[in-house]
Amino acid sequence: MQTEVEGIILKETLYGETSKILQVLTKEFGLISIISKGASSYKSNLRLLSLPFLYGKFLINYKKDKLSTLKGGKALKLYGSGSNNINIYAYMSYICELTYKVLQENNDKSIFDILKNSLDKINDGLSCNVIKNIVEFKYLDYLGITPNLSICQKCMKPMEAFAIDGKIGGFVCVNCYTNERKVPSDFLKVLNRYQNVDISEIKEIKISKENEEIVNEFLREYYQTFSAIHLNSENLLTILDK
Ligand SMILES: [Zn+2]
């Protein structure tokens, strides 16, 4: 079936001498694999349509659950281009790789909007790290590992958040506190904002450096402990952080 899809290329794999297999998150079908024949050749008119982080409309021969074939299309935006900021490129790589892994566990096409909105906001110059954390929070629902932030993770009672630890899955109350990281009194509100914000609505980001760092650390440990996801691009972010 020949059809047009709107999508973002998450990943490319070289195939044969000049072809590429693209992993594309589409609005219509979620994640699909598309072969772009001859895409690495300079003469090919598919070359500029077959780049990682490209958002575009793709005309394809669609085969459900199989390899679709790219026929043509229109490039709408190449994320990260025009920026020689390696930071932005690294964060986009990370978010695209994470998205690809999440889609392998849950190919839900509503993830398209989360990805597109987050790349748009990074492109607009908003904090890469905060946008990354918002995306990570939202993906926990798709992975089926939403943290329960209303109870203490040790005594399992409703509580006022006193400290947090990603390895135990959330907050601990003042009675159970041992060596977890203490949080400011309004910290639950901060986390709720991360979970519930509509990324497309974000105009500016106001968060203290301390809160931003606690959230980032919590998510890093939470993913390591409760998800099976490990990302190559995480190393790049760690290097950049230093
Ligand atoms: Zn407790």
Side-chain angles (χ1 to χ4, degrees), residues 152 154-156 172-173 175-176:
C152 166
K154 288 189 177 171
C155 65
M156 297 298 164
V172 291
C173 71
N175 300 323
C176 298

Side-chain angles (χ1 to χ4, degrees), residues 48 50-55 75-82 92 123:
L48 296 175
S50 309
L51 304 170
F53 312 155
L54 179 80
Y55 164 56
L76 297 174
K77 195 186 248 183
L78 183 60
Y79 287 108
S81 68
M92 285 185 174
N123 232 34

Side-chain angles (χ1 to χ4, degrees), residues 22-34:
L22 308 171
Q23 303 298 329
V24 186
L25 172 55
T26 66
K27 205 170 181 163
E28 294 79 3
F29 305 116
L31 182 68
I32 62 173
S33 304
I34 303 177

Side-chain angles (χ1 to χ4, degrees), residues 10-28:
L10 299 179
K11 195 172 147 91
E12 62 171 9
T13 315
L14 300 179
Y15 184 77
E17 293 275 291
T18 57
S19 298
K20 284 181 182 181
I21 293 175
L22 308 171
Q23 303 298 329
V24 186
L25 172 55
T26 66
K27 205 170 181 163
E28 294 79 3

